[in-house]
Amino acid sequence: MKAPTPSPLPTKILDVRHLRVHFKTDEGMVEVVRDVSFTLFRRETLALVGESGSGKSVTCLSINRLLPCPPAVISGGEIIYQEVNLLRLPWKEMHLCRGKDIAMIFQEPATALNPILTIRTQMNEVWLRHKDIRGKEADYWSIDLLARVGLPDAAKRLDSYPHELSGGMRQRVLIAMALITNPSILIADEPTTALDVTTQAQILELLVKMQQERKIGSLIFITHNLALVSQIADRVIVFYAGQIQEEAPASELFRHPAHPYTQGLLSCFNSLEHKEDRFHAISGNPPDLKLLPSGCPFHPRCPHVVERCKTVAPELRAVNEKHTARCHFV
């Protein structure tokens, strides 16, 4: 009897290695991303989860080298895309890569779109830069893309200004602009935060559909909403205080969270899902990155803290082959 053929290993498309980012402030240099390493595979949806200020967006802005420098300084690490370190790529080549190979949907569409330019002008700029398409041909393909992402009266909307569209419409325009180049990686930075629940569901469905149709390669989805993660993610990375605290396949993370912070997030999510009378919350406040506590950065809020947690910083430890967590008691 012939032995079964082993399934091929997933192919890496992005490898972030020991990334460190500092911000220059009046109180001195503050490290906001602290030794972050992770891999993104082809055709994968990777969710980055955590409270505001945990380092999710700064990490992804570093991938596209969109951080304002100064005050930001990428002080260490590598970002390897198709065997090329993006942090060492000349600016001219980085401009070509950004948007073409690695596209980004920003958190607030009202500020991501230029308020004084029509949708036509802003989409035409992308067509011209990355496809060398202009004029009526650019209009034709813009209308086609806007219709595909579900924008009503797509031809009419080309002459609209951003303020004339609803939040959901503006978000669809941003998605259409990102799809112009069929990017290998799409980074979606909380693309549904400012939208109502119905529109959130439509945008999520749209992103999944575009990935299935191979308009998008791999997807990095940044959010603090675990309900969205449960619907869209293959794998989840949990950020806290500029570090990765836990990483696991989405199904396993929801069934067996290993880090107390992840357990706290899921308790909050479950109390909403099950409409409990008492709402669960993580005690305390997110950490001040200028004044991080010694030891584990989560220990002031952790219900399982012991003396060791206050003095010794934990390393990422293996829960199993695909699951790691930064805790002494994994």
Side-chain angles (χ1 to χ4, degrees):
M1 183 171 154
K2 187 178 179 181
T5 304
S7 57
L9 293 173
T11 306
K12 292 181 183 180
I13 190 170
L14 184 74
D15 206 2
V16 177
R17 303 173 183 170
H18 305 291
L19 180 66
R20 294 183 179 273
V21 181
H22 286 76
F23 280 174
K24 185 177 182 180
T25 70
D26 293 338
E27 290 82 16
M29 299 297 286
V30 177
E31 192 172 21
V32 295
V33 173
R34 305 188 295 138
D35 196 21
V36 165
S37 299
F38 65 88
T39 298
L40 177 69
F41 298 99
R42 290 188 186 277
R43 316 302 309 164
E44 179 185 42
T45 297
L46 174 65
L48 307 187
V49 178
E51 294 168 296
S52 296
S54 60
K56 313 182 300 296
S57 294
V58 173
T59 296
C60 288
L61 287 169
S62 300
I63 293 171
N64 257 341
R65 289 170 64 180
L66 287 170
L67 290 172
C69 300
V73 177
I74 298 177
S75 48
E78 298 177 311
I79 299 173
I80 309 299
Y81 169 70
Q82 295 187 347
E83 301 183 0
V84 175
N85 184 359
L86 297 180
L87 298 182
R88 294 187 178 180
L89 202 62
W91 270 112
K92 186 176 181 179
E93 294 179 40
M94 190 67 215
H95 277 302
L96 294 175
C97 176
R98 185 192 298 132
K100 180 177 182 292
D101 298 309
I102 306 175
M104 191 160 184
I105 303 170
F106 295 95
Q107 184 169 352
E108 178 47 65
T111 56
L113 293 168
N114 192 320
I116 64 171
L117 298 178
T118 63
I119 302 305
R120 181 197 307 274
T121 302
Q122 297 185 62
M123 292 191 74
N124 282 357
E125 182 182 352
V126 183
W127 284 115
L128 183 60
R129 174 184 289 270
H130 295 298
K131 297 286 189 178
D132 198 24
I133 294 174
R134 65 194 75 202
K136 291 184 178 179
E137 186 180 2
D139 287 351
Y140 172 83
W141 290 115
S142 291
I143 292 168
D144 178 67
L145 263 181
L146 290 172
R148 285 192 185 194
V149 300
L151 191 71
D153 298 323
K156 180 182 176 182
R157 298 302 177 189
L158 274 185
D159 292 315
S160 298
Y161 289 88
H163 72 271
E164 297 176 309
L165 306 180
S166 68
M169 288 179 175
R170 288 193 291 262
Q171 198 63 278
R172 291 174 194 274
V173 169
L174 284 182
I175 293 172
M177 291 173 69
L179 294 177
I180 284 174
T181 59
N182 287 9
S184 300
I185 300 172
L186 177 63
I187 301 171
D189 188 359
E190 305 216 30
T192 61
T193 298
L195 306 177
D196 62 81
V197 175
T198 302
T199 309
Q200 281 186 6
Q202 292 171 350
I203 296 298
L204 279 184
E205 184 180 353
L206 173 61
L207 289 173
V208 171
K209 178 184 176 185
M210 291 296 105
Q211 196 171 22
Q212 290 171 346
E213 293 179 359
R214 297 187 179 272
K215 297 296 180 183
I216 304 169
S218 303
L219 176 64
I220 298 178
F221 192 83
I222 305 171
T223 185
H224 60 267
N225 188 334
L226 288 172
L228 303 184
V229 173
S230 66
Q231 298 173 48
I232 198 172
D234 299 310
R235 193 159 49 95
V236 184
I237 293 177
V238 180
F239 274 75
Y240 186 82
Q243 286 182 318
I244 291 175
Q245 303 298 327
E246 187 162 5
E247 179 178 348
S251 57
E252 179 166 341
L253 187 97
F254 278 85
R255 287 199 307 265
H256 306 296
H259 196 282
Y261 177 60
T262 310
Q263 294 165 5
L265 291 176
L266 286 171
S267 294
C268 301
F269 167 61
N270 290 332
S271 66
L272 285 173
E273 280 286 287
H274 301 144
K275 299 180 181 179
E276 298 177 10
D277 294 334
R278 183 178 176 84
F279 177 69
H280 294 273
I282 300 173
S283 63
N285 296 311
D288 183 347
L289 293 176
K290 298 191 295 291
L291 299 168
L292 281 176
S294 58
C296 174
F298 186 63
H299 87 252
R301 307 173 71 187
C302 182
H304 311 298
V305 63
V306 298
E307 198 60 35
R308 184 184 180 194
C309 304
K310 300 177 183 179
T311 56
V312 181
E315 299 292 330
L316 276 172
R317 308 172 78 181
V319 179
N320 58 45
E321 186 180 355
K322 297 182 178 180
H323 189 169
T324 57
R326 192 182 298 275
C327 181
H328 293 303
F329 306 107
V330 167

